[in-house]
Amino acid sequence: LPEKIDLEILYEDPYIIILNKKAGIVVHPAPGSPNGTLVNALLYHCGKSLEGIGGVKRPGIVHRLDKNTSGVMVVAKTENAHVNLCKIFSNHDLDRRYKAVVWGQPKNIGIIEKNIGRSSINRKKMAISLKGKVAITQWNVLDVYAPIDSIIECKLETGKTHQIRVHLSDMGHSIIGDDLYGKSLSMNRYKDNTYREKIQIIKSFKRQALHATKLSLNHPITKQYLEFFSPLPKDISQLIKILKNK
């Protein structure tokens, strides 16, 4: 059902809508989240301008951001836009960038090519698996707050569920605040109280420090080149400020 929920719209036309998703909102209704989702909000926002997908008046979700991941994403408003966006994503004819604050200090630049599939131990998790689907993530370090943390940019070459979170965790540099894949540093490894205090502050961060900062693609109908950016939200910016000043 349509629900009046605040949305930050970056761009909208008769075919697509680009928005800046807030952390804490689920993209699509599911058994654990039947309402209060992005889809409910879009049904209200778009109203009669929503043509619908597959004969149903609903927005076309082509990609998702996890509940506690924020940032820029695109949604289709018409059947044709949905079909063409699916092709764009399937062919990887777009540029998606994320920023993440991670534990430790990865090497400056690299690429992770490890297949991802459903975990055989915990069905709520994804895992590195030879039987999984191809997943490729490029990354480069933007800043280092040695020896505790770094901020990195990730570019998705593929778009598997929890891809960045799984790849970075497997690398040994999981995202701060990730309660599913996180592996935080222990305060006991540092004698310096400044470092111990910093780790304590970081551990109190309420969500994974992951934000979709850039989305660029050719419009699915008009073919016009589109490029959108989303600055880091207040909570991640505040976390970085703390890391710099401590």
Side-chain angles (χ1 to χ4, degrees):
L1 296 173
E3 294 182 55
K4 189 176 182 180
I5 299 169
D6 287 340
L7 293 172
E8 184 180 343
I9 307 300
L10 303 178
Y11 172 86
E12 184 175 8
D13 64 24
Y15 312 104
I16 62 171
I17 185 167
I18 311 281
L19 54 93
N20 191 22
K21 184 184 101 60
K22 298 177 183 177
I25 186 169
V26 174
V27 169
H28 202 280
S33 305
N35 47 43
T37 72
L38 189 63
V39 166
N40 296 107
L42 287 169
L43 284 170
Y44 181 91
H45 170 80
C46 296
K48 293 180 180 180
S49 72
L50 190 66
E51 209 173 277
I53 314 296
V56 180
K57 188 172 181 177
R58 61 183 175 90
I61 303 298
V62 183
H63 67 127
R64 304 186 188 193
L65 296 179
D66 298 333
K67 176 182 178 180
N68 288 321
T69 298
S70 51
V72 61
M73 62 179 292
V74 58
V75 178
K77 295 172 68 176
T78 71
E79 182 81 54
N80 284 343
H82 186 251
V83 169
N84 290 342
L85 275 175
C86 286
K87 289 178 182 177
I88 289 170
F89 274 77
S90 178
N91 295 332
H92 314 303
D93 292 333
L94 73 166
D95 189 350
R96 284 184 287 170
R97 307 289 177 104
Y98 292 71
K99 286 183 182 177
V101 187
V102 302
W103 291 104
Q105 185 178 347
K107 59 182 182 180
N108 286 342
I109 194 168
I111 184 167
I112 310 167
E113 298 185 55
K114 291 190 176 183
N115 292 10
I116 292 177
R118 185 70 58 183
S119 169
S120 58
I121 300 170
N122 181 348
R123 301 304 292 173
K124 292 183 179 180
K125 295 180 69 173
M126 306 301 287
I128 302 297
S129 169
L130 292 175
K131 296 179 180 179
K133 295 180 179 179
V134 173
I136 304 171
T137 306
Q138 294 183 31
W139 91 88
N140 65 283
V141 174
L142 300 177
D143 206 351
V144 177
Y145 316 116
I148 309 295
D149 333 85
S150 305
I151 181 166
I152 66 174
E153 180 182 69
C154 294
K155 179 183 179 183
L156 286 182
E157 296 296 330
T158 58
K160 300 299 176 284
T161 302
H162 298 175
Q163 179 174 314
I164 293 175
R165 297 165 67 189
V166 173
H167 272 169
L168 293 181
S169 179
D170 180 74
M171 224 170 74
H173 299 286
S174 57
I175 299 171
I176 285 171
D178 191 337
D179 59 2
L180 193 58
Y181 302 101
K183 298 173 185 175
S184 63
L185 295 178
S186 169
M187 288 188 292
N188 296 330
R189 65 188 291 176
Y190 296 104
K191 294 180 180 180
D192 190 313
N193 282 335
T194 301
Y195 291 147
R196 292 166 68 92
E197 288 172 9
K198 183 185 285 189
I199 292 173
Q200 189 63 43
I201 291 170
I202 295 167
K203 284 184 175 181
S204 68
F205 196 70
K206 300 298 184 184
R207 66 165 175 115
Q208 64 257 16
L210 179 63
H211 183 73
T213 56
K214 177 186 176 183
L215 174 66
S216 61
L217 72 166
N218 290 327
H219 192 288
I221 303 297
T222 68
K223 310 305 179 186
Q224 177 189 357
Y225 178 73
L226 301 174
E227 186 174 70
F228 298 94
F229 296 92
S230 172
L232 287 174
K234 187 176 180 180
D235 60 346
I236 296 180
S237 296
Q238 186 62 31
L239 174 67
I240 291 172
K241 184 178 179 181
I242 290 170
L243 297 176
K244 285 181 175 180
N245 293 340
K246 276 282 182 178

